[in-house]
Each structure stands twice: as C-alpha cells, then as structure tokens.
C-alpha cells in the first residue's frame, strides 16, 4: 500500500455531506472555506505524540476519536461551531488494520459534529498526529480567556479527575489500583480515551458566559491561564467540585491531585456574571450537560482554594509541563 | 526552561503588526480570523519529519525557514495571500540555541510575507514540525488542480532539479559529487534548504492561469495530479525545461532524474490558455519570477515526454511516495 492508496483507502470518503462553508476539500494544494458572512473563523491545532498524549498500546479507534476530540474541545471552549479539520499523520508503517480502526474512530466523531476532513499530509516517521480544526463563531460572542470579570461566578462542566485516575491505573500506580481494583471499568477508561468535546455547551454559553477554556492540563493550572489573561484572582470551593464515584475511595491527597491537577478532562471551565445564573442553567439544560458553580472571580490576584470549613488549602497548582 | 517559558521566549513576539484579518492570535484556545468580506479562506497543512524531509544535521534557521516555506508554497499554488499560520512542534528537548535559530528562520520568512504565527502547540517527542497556513483568495480566482483544459499551455516557474542535486550531494551520491565537486556551493544548498515560495507569482496568476500546483515531489509525478484531476493529458518538451548550470555536467539519465523526478523544487507548475500568453508574461514580470512554457495540455490521457528531436522518451514518472 503506497501513500496515495493509503489516503484513498482510509481518508477519502464519498457521499459524506459537507457544510456549505466548505467549498473545496481533500485533494488540492489547499482546502477552501468560506465562513458564514459576518462570522469569525476559530482555529486551533494540537499535536499528539506516543508516550506523551497516549500510551503505546491504546486502540487505534480510541486514538482516532481522541485526536479529533481534543481539538474540537478547543472550539467548544471558544463557543464555536465546527466546520472542518486537517490531519497530518506521521506513521512508522502503513498498517491497514490500524489505519482502518483509526479512521473509524476519527470519522465517527467527525460525522457526529458535521466536521469533515478537508485536507492533510501523510508521511513516514515516529507516530505523530497533528490536527488543526476550523470553526465559526458570531462576532463578540467568542469565549476568550481574558474576559473574566471580578464578581463572576466560576463554573465547571461535568466532573474532573476520572481521566487522571484511569491513566494512573493503566500506569500501575498503587493508589489508583487500590482505589479502582484489579479491573479498569470501561466507563472510567472511556473518560481517558474517549473524551466528549463539550461543543453544544460551548455554543449555548456563547453570549452568556464571560471567559472560558477547556481543561486539558488540570483544573487549577488551567484556571491560572484565565486569571493571568484577565488580570483577576479566584476562590475555589473544593467541596463544591463534583466528585465522581470512582474518586470517592481515594485518599484526600490523591483525590485532590485528580480533581485539581488531573489532565485530559476536556471539560469547560468558565465564568459568568451572577445575573446570568438562570441563563447558564438554561444553557446546561439545552446542551444536556451538567454544570456546577465552584467558586468566584476576585480582585485579589492568584487562586485561593477553600476547604469545606472555609479554611484555605495549600496546594501547589502546577499544570502539566512537557519540558518541566 | 519549561514549556510556557519556551513559548514566551521564542514564539511570543511583541510589536509585530498583524493583518487586520487576524482578530486574536497566540494565547487562547483558538485564534480568531476574519477573511476580507467576500473572500475565501485557503488552508493547507504540512508535517516535516527528521530523516524524511530534512537531514538530522540541518541548521535550525534553515529548518525554520523551510517548514514555513513549504506551507506558503501551497498558498502560492492556490493564488492565495497569506494571513497567518499555526505551528505544532514536537521536540526531543528544550534546546535554547536551537530554538532561537529555528525561530529566527521561521519569523524572517513569516515577516517577509506579513504572515504571523496565530497559534500552536508544543510537546516533547521525536522532532516533528507541523504547520498549518491560512490565506485568502478572491472567489473564482483560486488556482485549482482540476482546472486544466485541453489546448492550455503548460508552464513552470524558475528551474527544477537543483534541490535534488544538492540532496544527493549531501547524501554522498557519487554522480552528484562528480558533477558538483568537493564543495557544495551555498547557492545550490540554498535551493534545498531555503526554498522561496512563489507567492507573488501565484497571486499574479490568479484569474489568469487555469490549473496550478507547487512542485514538491518531482515535476513529472506532480503533473500527474493535475492531469488526473482535470481528466486530461499533456506533452512536455524536455529541451524546453530551464536547465540550471549545476545540472549541465550531469549524465543524461541523472539530469532527467533531477529535472523531472527531483523533489523539493517548490516552483509553480501551471496551465493557461494560449490567449493568455501576454498576461502570463506580465504576471511573471510583475512578480519578478521567471516562467517557461514547457508543453501543452492534450486530450490524450497521460504524460508524453518529448526529446529535442520530437521523439517520445520513456521515463517512469514516479513521484516520491513515503510508503512505497
């Protein structure tokens, strides 16, 4: 199987409806897009490397899903609607069965969000997946990191920490094995391997929320990006964080590690003024996504973590750093 | 140096003018772009891997240049004007001197074309560079591969084959060493390491030429993409191909290998109707780029190579295939 046969067999698809904004897809020097008049184009890129973003033995279908999911999550955090994506793929070899699984996972998620593959590049080399996604958003409704205001409520969607717990279990970490048991439940594994980008929630929050981002490197560290970009601080009530049943059995320190420092959550962290509480709940209901108020934006810089008794907690808020 | 310090030090730049179409650049979940009203957005992505697209000992400044150049070349081939690019970078380690050189080469070319970095991703892993470029083009003026028409003239910009000769010299190939000598002249090395994307020519040809692409995998193989997409054939006059002085000393077979099968040319191959010959020359002059008429589009499928005496040449037109 040569390069062009590989592309034809696994990445060219006939009969898949394209959004009207996609004028020219795979096969030319460039794809051509035209956002809806008056809309802005949102763009994000993410690169996934074996051993950093996924384990060597991850299934190809899960990997295809996740490579696109983490990119769509960035569109969700901007309040944007997906239009399409490009895929650059470096592969050690042309493995037909692996590619078929990868494409299945990739396109199942792409089709669910009407987000077609519009271009790409294929090369031989160490396994590496680089996706760039394109979406559109109505001007002045994009959810930026620098838009948090003092007095805003702080919210998180879904629950954090399960992906980290699943990862630690797969790595054989004793505290994870002790809490989870000898088998990794499929729903817990899915939180790591098959995150669902919160696109419907993001779009429902556009025009309602102030600042937003998607959680990829841990809640506490990622919240720091909003605080620095907006020039504000926050207090976060640890007891308010939704706790997944799987995390209940963890010792306190490891539970905090998962809740606050766990990567790969792909939930939305956002702020909105107290006057918008009903609108936030309406957005949550419309998108069938749970959201929880977990704190508030303050004018005192930095992040203050508060325990159930109101005492400040010391917790080193360190997000994941590839070169630390 | 951690991940965020690496980004701050080498990839965040203050005081660089952004095109008005770039509303939000590096630092949020997504960049926000807004093409000029009525224009289309052209998008292309290319991934560069050590040992496939560049040699391990290439200088970082040349690599920074080339990683962006090959992407801008795709915009050129579409007749598009650059707006910005994203960079995803996988690095074995955070090497300050290497990164400084890489960024210097990258931004020198970006600044020359007013094409700012608008987003990216940095991770640790085997060296891999994935750039996605964005440009804009007036509707109905984009240069597509499927637009060649029977009777069109066939043109190439600049000269082909020098990058291949330089690569073979660097690899120690005897015929390249014999033809070039014991030193690789810097201008010949530059043809491999510092290709200049033909952006001005591509834009001048938009609305004049029919089909176009940029030469990355060899003239004969890349021409096949236009022929198949357009459902036409071509005859190509070998003696009409511009011959670089460095190629003159090569034996006939190796000269053809360089001219027709050499990768990394990043010249434009395009077709235009005979009625547009003056306009093509005007576009060449306006962009200060040489173009040469080398053949014609025919209704007989396939590529016919003709020698100076009009005899058909047998030449296996095989472009580069990463998985062949």
């Amino acid at each position: 199987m040569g390069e062009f046969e590989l592309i034809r067999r696994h990445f060219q698809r006939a009969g898949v409806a394209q959004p009207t904004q996609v004028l020219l897809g795979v096969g030319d020097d460039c794809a051509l897009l035209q956002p809806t008049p008056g809309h802005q184009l949102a763009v994000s890129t993410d690169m996934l490397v074996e051993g950093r973003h996924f384990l060597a033995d991850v299934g190809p279908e899960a990997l295809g899903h996740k490579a696109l999911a983490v990119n769509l999550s960035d569109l969700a955090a901007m309040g944007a609607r997906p239009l399409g994506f490009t895929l650059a793929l470096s592969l050690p070899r042309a493995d037909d069965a692996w590619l078929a699984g990868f494409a299945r996972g990739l396109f199942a998620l792409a089709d669910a969000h009407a987000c077609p593959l519009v271009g790409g590049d294929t090369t031989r080399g160490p396994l590496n997946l680089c996706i760039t996604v394109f979406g559109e958003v109505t001007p002045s409704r994009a959810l930026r990191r620098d838009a948090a205001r003092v007095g805003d409520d702080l919210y998180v969607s879904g629950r954090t920490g399960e992906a980290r717990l699943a990862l630690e279990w797969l790595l054989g970490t004793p505290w994870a094995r002790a809490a989870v048991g000898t088998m990794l439940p499929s729903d817990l594994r899915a939180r790591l391997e098959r995150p669902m980008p919160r696109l419907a929630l993001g779009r429902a929050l556009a025009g309602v929320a102030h600042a937003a981002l998607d959680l990829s490197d841990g809640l506490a560290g990622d919240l720091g990006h909003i605080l620095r970009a907006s020039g504000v601080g926050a207090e976060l009530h640890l007891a308010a964080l939704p706790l997944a049943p799987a995390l209940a059995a963890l010792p306190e320190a490891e539970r905090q590690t998962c809740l606050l420092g766990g990567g790969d959550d792909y939930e939305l962290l956002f702020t909105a003024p107290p006057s918008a509480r009903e609108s936030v709940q309406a957005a949550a209901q419309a998108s069938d996504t749970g959201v929880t108020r977990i704190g508030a934006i303050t004018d005192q810089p930095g992040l203050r973590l508060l325990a159930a008794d109101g005492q400040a907690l010391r917790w080193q808020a360190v997000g994941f750093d590839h070169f630390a």
Side-chain angles (χ1 to χ4, degrees), chain A:
Chain A
M1 179 170 57
E3 180 181 353
F4 296 102
E5 171 64 10
L6 182 163
I7 294 169
R8 192 197 61 75
R9 200 181 295 182
H10 296 292
F11 297 108
Q12 286 184 351
R13 305 166 76 221
V16 175
Q18 306 261 319
T20 55
Q21 296 93 336
V22 177
L23 308 174
L24 182 65
V26 174
D28 215 306
D29 297 295
C30 294
L32 292 176
L33 308 179
Q34 192 153 33
T36 305
H39 285 56
Q40 298 172 348
L41 191 88
V43 174
S44 183
T45 193
D46 269 305
M47 179 175 268
L48 275 70
V49 176
E50 184 175 304
R52 309 297 295 180
H53 304 91
F54 54 91
L55 302 175
D57 62 352
V58 68
E61 194 166 343
L63 187 57
H65 172 98
K66 187 162 179 176
L68 182 58
V70 303
N71 278 281
L72 289 175
S73 184
D74 284 310
L75 290 184
M78 215 74 190
R81 186 158 72 103
L83 294 180
F85 70 102
T86 59
L87 166 69
L89 191 57
S90 172
L91 296 169
R93 63 197 165 279
D95 178 333
D96 213 37
W98 191 93
L99 281 161
F102 177 82
R104 201 160 49 236
L106 180 79
F107 288 123
L109 184 64
D111 292 349
H113 294 289
C115 182
L117 179 70
V118 299
D121 192 18
T122 314
T123 183
R124 191 193 286 257
L127 185 56
N128 184 306
L129 316 163
C130 182
I131 285 181
T132 307
V133 284
F134 314 99
E136 64 179 21
V137 61
T138 313
S140 83
R141 293 168 68 98
L143 302 170
R144 299 169 54 142
R145 294 181 174 191
D146 61 5
R149 296 292 169 262
V150 173
D152 276 0
D153 295 325
L154 179 66
Y155 296 87
V156 69
S157 71
R159 303 181 301 220
T160 63
E162 287 162 289
R164 174 66 175 268
L165 179 58
L167 175 64
E168 297 288 351
W169 190 94
L170 287 170
L171 293 173
T173 308
W175 56 259
R177 294 279 169 140
V180 174
T182 53
M183 294 278 290
L184 181 64
S186 60
D187 58 341
L188 193 56
R189 177 190 285 263
R191 293 287 298 175
L192 175 67
E193 295 188 347
R194 303 185 71 90
M196 296 307 296
R198 300 299 194 187
L199 285 158
L201 177 63
R203 284 162 63 188
L205 288 173
V208 173
H210 280 164
L213 54 65
D214 71 315
L215 295 176
S216 56
D217 295 340
L219 194 162
D222 283 340
L223 174 54
H225 297 307
I226 287 182
L227 303 187
R228 280 186 297 276
S230 300
V232 296
E235 55 182 35
L236 193 161
H237 300 275
L238 196 58
L241 278 175
L243 188 68
L247 271 64
L250 288 175
E252 181 67 19
E254 285 76 16
R255 190 159 69 230
Q256 287 184 21
T257 294
C258 289
L259 284 172
L260 297 171
D264 275 341
D265 287 317
Y266 300 106
E267 297 292 349
L268 296 188
L269 182 71
F270 61 96
T271 81
S275 61
R277 282 182 191 171
E278 283 186 22
S279 303
V280 168
Q281 289 310 318
Q285 286 204 325
S287 60
D288 200 19
T289 310
V291 304
T292 308
R293 186 153 54 88
I294 59 173
I297 298 298
T298 63
D299 57 2
Q300 186 187 336
L303 169 60
R304 277 167 307 290
L305 289 169
L306 301 175
D309 58 4
Q311 292 288 304
L313 279 171
R314 280 189 301 181
W315 195 82
Q316 189 64 34
V318 177
F320 187 77
D321 185 325
H322 286 286
F323 295 96

